[in-house]
Amino acid sequence: MSSTTTVETITKPNIGVYTDPEHKLWVEESTPDLESLKKGKGEDLPEGWVSIAIKSTGICGYVAPALPRGLSLTNLSHLRSDIHFWHAGAIGPMVVEKKHILGHESAGTIIATHPSVTHLKPGDRVAIEPGLICNECEPCLTGRYNGCLKMQFLSTPPVDGLLRRYVNHPAVWCHKIGDMSYENGALLEPLSVALAGMERSGVALGDSVLICGAGPIGLITLLCCQAAGACPLTITDVDEGRLKVAQKLCPRARTYKVNTSLSPEDAAGEIVKAANGVRPRIAMECTGVESSIANAIYSVKFGGKVFVIGVGKPNASVPFMRLSTQEIDLQFQYRYSNTWPRAIRLVEDGVIDMRSLVTHRFDLQDAVKAFETSGDIKSGAIKVMIQNEMDS
């Protein structure tokens, strides 16, 4: 890819991808408006902010092809946020109460900077970290800013997301990506989710690891565990097609298609059998589905760990005595912090290659079709990308 810096010409009105409490989905004009963007000098931006022309945005979403008994669209958490906010209108206490812009996996080009910003200039390619923090509370001051008490996370109601032609954003959360493709820049967000899980779970060279769920987060976690030297490495899903994708990504991975009619104890037996009889030391649970968490708990060894990356329903039951008598640690994750620089290095050096995860691409103006594809089991979609028509 050429290293020539290209400064964007602003000619088209800003548009965004919206949903609302009635679960409608549409594209219409958005802010910042064309007139303010055409000035292009940045003096009108808040101190420390920049304007960005968004180039690629991934849809955060995965719909399971078969719903086990007791699950529905309102409690199936591994729909993930973009699809979930559209279909269900809420994730826990985060509720769509008015028209709302989706999207939080984005990369683009700087088009204007406030005079106070010196490390970025028009034409720079950046990946956007979507959380805005207070820098005052204990989580922020101790470096775990994903727990900021005043977090404004773009695309989480009521904060509008990044699925627009243009956005304004604090420069500190715009990470330079050099000549990296915009798609790879957008994929740094789900990679950050996986990296946070890797760090907190403590996966190490030679660890036996189980990954539950072969959606985008599960597949990226698989790539990370492969790079970390986990073995044996086993991944489960209810969809055979996803498991085939997993084996293409990591040929040495063992796969198990979940039989939803089995008890957690019996499913665990099948999972361990797929791993050649080796119980996992760590299970990376990437669905948030109650039955999958139970499968993981019954699968891991004495003293093992079940690390839940998936976002679940507000209240869930777990096999308490299995956890207790086997001294199994049950640990959870909420988003990420301090992951973008590491994610950029991993992609730049080819340690993690996520390009094959992108199965569909749509123009921003065709975003409704993009969401329909991402939410359609039969489409075979893994990661759907929405691109700005000004891409060069």
Side-chain angles (χ1 to χ4, degrees):
M1 185 178 294
S2 171
S3 59
T4 303
T5 297
T6 302
V7 178
E8 202 70 50
T9 301
I10 310 303
T11 59
K12 296 186 178 183
N14 199 4
I15 55 175
V17 182
Y18 291 82
T19 189
D20 65 11
E22 283 74 48
H23 315 296
K24 296 175 185 173
L25 191 72
W26 73 97
V27 177
E28 70 173 37
E29 288 198 17
S30 179
T31 57
D33 62 54
L34 183 61
E35 184 179 347
S36 65
L37 289 162
K38 274 187 170 180
K39 294 178 182 178
K41 296 181 180 179
E43 288 90 345
D44 295 335
L45 291 166
E47 184 175 352
W49 283 54
V50 297
S51 295
I52 308 153
I54 300 296
K55 294 297 191 175
S56 288
T57 300
I59 295 178
C60 181
Y62 163 41
V63 179
L67 302 185
R69 185 178 299 172
L71 291 179
S72 67
L73 286 181
T74 57
N75 64 16
L76 188 61
S77 62
H78 63 315
L79 286 166
R80 292 292 178 188
S81 62
D82 287 333
I83 297 293
H84 204 135
F85 282 133
W86 169 36
H87 278 182
I91 297 177
M94 298 167 281
V95 181
V96 176
E97 296 180 334
K98 58 182 181 179
K99 75 175 190 177
H100 175 68
I101 300 174
L102 298 164
H104 60 270
E105 305 176 5
S106 298
T109 302
I110 299 294
I111 54 176
T113 63
H114 186 272
S116 61
V117 177
T118 57
H119 71 288
L120 293 173
K121 65 183 185 302
D124 284 345
R125 291 170 175 250
V126 294
I128 303 169
E129 187 167 351
L132 309 184
I133 64 173
C134 72
N135 273 314
E136 297 175 347
C137 65
E138 182 177 342
C140 286
L141 296 177
T142 55
R144 298 182 66 183
Y145 59 80
N146 53 312
C148 175
L149 302 179
K150 298 178 182 177
M151 172 67 78
Q152 297 181 66
F153 194 88
L154 275 66
S155 82
T156 296
V159 185
D160 281 333
L162 292 170
L163 262 172
R164 295 177 253 182
R165 277 202 182 110
Y166 315 106
V167 297
N168 296 331
H169 201 66
V172 69
W173 302 121
C174 296
H175 303 276
K176 284 186 182 181
I177 58 174
D179 288 343
M180 184 185 298
S181 71
Y182 294 118
E183 280 193 355
N184 271 342
L187 287 166
L188 295 174
E189 199 280 341
L191 176 55
S192 285
V193 173
L195 289 180
M198 294 293 290
E199 182 175 5
R200 280 176 48 78
S201 66
V203 172
L205 185 69
D207 275 342
S208 51
V209 173
L210 166 67
I211 297 169
C212 300
I217 296 297
L219 292 172
I220 294 174
T221 300
L222 175 68
L223 290 172
C224 291
C225 288
Q226 175 181 235
C231 66
L233 190 49
T234 307
I235 185 165
T236 69
D237 201 273
V238 293
D239 179 29
E240 188 66 41
R242 297 258 170 176
L243 294 176
K244 288 179 180 177
V245 171
Q247 246 180 346
K248 272 190 175 180
L249 284 174
C250 178
R252 65 180 178 84
R254 291 96 186 284
T255 62
Y256 171 68
K257 183 180 178 183
V258 177
N259 182 344
T260 58
S261 67
L262 294 181
S263 68
E265 297 94 329
D266 290 340
E270 295 299 310
I271 290 168
V272 174
K273 188 185 297 182
N276 203 27
V278 180
R279 286 191 177 273
R281 187 182 82 81
I282 299 174
M284 305 292 279
E285 210 299 310
C286 299
T287 75
V289 174
E290 188 176 295
S291 59
S292 182
I293 295 171
N295 290 350
I297 290 170
Y298 278 101
S299 295
V300 297
K301 65 193 289 186
F302 181 90
K305 176 185 289 188
V306 174
F307 188 86
V308 184
I309 297 176
V311 181
K313 59 185 182 180
N315 297 290
S317 298
V318 296
F320 179 90
M321 287 309 297
R322 172 71 181 182
L323 291 165
S324 176
T325 60
Q326 296 297 299
E327 293 191 357
I328 295 167
D329 294 335
L330 182 59
Q331 193 174 357
F332 297 86
Q333 171 180 335
Y334 188 56
R335 295 177 180 151
Y336 39 70
S337 61
N338 305 301
T339 52
W340 250 261
R342 191 156 29 121
I344 291 168
R345 292 195 301 270
L346 288 167
V347 173
E348 284 180 334
D349 284 0
V351 178
I352 301 293
D353 185 351
M354 301 174 287
R355 290 174 296 178
S356 64
L357 297 180
V358 180
T359 54
H360 296 75
R361 297 170 178 87
F362 292 87
D363 188 272
L364 179 61
Q365 295 184 96
D366 296 324
V368 172
K369 187 175 180 181
F371 270 79
E372 290 170 348
T373 300
S374 185
D376 180 6
I377 305 306
K378 298 176 183 177
S379 71
I382 295 176
K383 177 58 68 175
V384 176
M385 281 285 172
I386 295 178
Q387 301 174 323
N388 192 308
E389 68 280 350
M390 294 189 304
D391 281 358
S392 56

